[in-house]
Amino acid sequence: MSIATLRRAAKESVSGLPRAFWWLWASTLINRLGAFVATFTALYLTLDRGYSASYAGLVASLHGLGGVVSSLGAGVMTDRLGRRPTLLIAQVSTAVSVAVLGFMQHPVAIAAVAFVVGATSNASRPAVQAMMADIVRPEDRVRAFSLNYWAINLGFAVSSAGAGFIAEYSYLAGFLGEAVLTLACAVLIFLKLPESRPAQAPSHPGKAAPPETGMGAVLRDGRFMGVVGLSFLISLIFQQGYVGLPVAMGADGFDAADFGLAMAVNGVLIVALQIPVTRYIEHRDPRRLLIVSSLLAGYGFGLTAFAGSVAVYALTVGVWTLAEIVNAPTQTGLVVRLSPVHGRGRYQGVYTMSWSAAALVAPLMSGWTIDRWGAQWLWGACAVLGTVAGLGYWLLMRGLPAHSPETAAPAPSREAVTA
């Protein structure tokens, strides 16, 4: 492939998206570049502070619980206060709580602040996704969500590498560094991103504007809640790359360096393939993409039962990473399609909660299964979950047009698109 062809492909991948999207994208990248604490918290608690692995696991669970609790509240805030105020509150609160966590000494205080950090750091997700849906044209949304996902993984890959060097110097520097970069995101949002929430327009002249979508209406939306449930299953599968896989590789006699080498395939493939794969899938039927990605995820982890070398482990990581590349932007785009314009925040909040809940359940699932029956049963369970999810998407998406028009909604203001 010639350089000219590569340049043309890159230009087509990023062209046509509004300026506001790129400011939002930049804030995501900066935020993930500073995601040091998530990488080294377990090492900080066990090696630097001398706490047990069980306590470190408790802190991680409380962090995840904070995300579950905040997802619903942040979704309501996104619809009521607006996308921009919710983002600013979440980013500033995260910066403060992360900095405070670095100074905590008592184990109860550390656990309590970790819960707050989990809540504040996850509160921005519904607002980011709702704002992206507001400012990007329907036909470009899968590409926009994919580019945002690419920024998340690129930033996290860089921050994970940097976290080790920072930890050698000072763990406190990592906490304060993340706080500073999170504040930089808040400043960027304050200066460059106007509110994008669509105005409540009356359905007919002379009539009052329709009421906003309440949380009860979201929970009664059968098709959407089905997607949330399937998202939870898919998330359970993907979480095993971080909770089940290292335990299984350790039991097979592999060390942390071997696990890091196998998992490096995940980051490399996402950074290298996310954009070109999205160009291929963005105008294809999301129903088929979700079914295929579910099967790839389930059987990608299922193949781990046959792994006996780092190379084979890396191969299985490559299979389920392809599923991740396809699933993430497609599923987020589907959630937007199923969401009423004035309920996007609540819908995104409930959807985000499925991932946070999976982060809580996955460690329990993997630990209990491996201890009781062995890792092969865990990988078999992943294959079953992937099959169930694929069948679920097939059943739920029947009757949904492959490419439905945008629901009636006022177009984003010129200020929101060009600022």
Side-chain angles (χ1 to χ4, degrees), residues 89 120 197 257 357:
I89 292 171
T120 57
R197 181 179 54 171

Side-chain angles (χ1 to χ4, degrees), residues 200-405:
Q200 286 273 25
S203 56
H204 298 286
K207 292 188 177 181
E212 65 178 20
T213 302
M215 188 60 71
V218 178
L219 299 178
R220 289 191 298 270
D221 188 334
R223 175 175 277 173
F224 170 74
M225 291 306 298
V227 170
V228 170
L230 295 174
S231 170
F232 173 75
L233 295 183
I234 293 294
S235 303
L236 278 180
I237 298 173
F238 285 135
Q239 285 290 328
Q240 299 310 320
Y242 306 94
V243 294
L245 185 60
V247 174
M249 289 187 69
D252 284 345
F254 298 99
D255 58 21
D258 295 325
F259 170 69
L261 185 61
M263 280 299 294
V265 174
N266 177 259
V268 170
L269 286 182
I270 289 176
V271 171
L273 298 181
Q274 184 73 63
I275 294 177
V277 168
T278 299
R279 291 186 65 241
Y280 176 77
I281 68 171
E282 63 177 322
H283 297 304
R284 297 183 182 273
D285 188 346
R287 299 168 298 186
R288 295 181 180 179
L289 295 175
L290 289 170
I291 293 170
V292 171
S293 64
S294 299
L295 296 175
L296 276 177
Y299 288 95
F301 276 97
L303 289 172
T304 310
F306 304 99
S309 66
V310 175
V312 178
Y313 275 113
L315 177 63
T316 64
V317 171
V319 174
W320 58 258
T321 297
L322 290 176
E324 188 179 356
I325 289 171
V326 173
N327 180 272
T330 306
Q331 188 161 248
T332 307
L334 175 63
V335 170
V336 173
R337 286 181 59 183
L338 296 177
S339 308
V341 173
H342 300 292
R344 280 175 180 159
R346 288 174 173 84
Y347 272 71
Q348 291 291 350
V350 173
Y351 168 64
T352 300
M353 185 183 66
S354 68
W355 288 82
S356 299
L360 272 178
V361 174
L364 302 176
M365 167 187 168
S366 60
W368 184 77
T369 304
I370 291 174
D371 288 343
R372 190 174 181 88
W373 291 304
Q376 280 71 19
W377 282 88
L378 176 64
W379 308 131
C382 287
V384 171
L385 289 177
T387 303
V388 171
L391 179 61
Y393 280 119
W394 178 74
L395 292 172
L396 277 176
M397 296 302 105
R398 288 185 302 174
L400 181 73
H403 301 288
S404 63

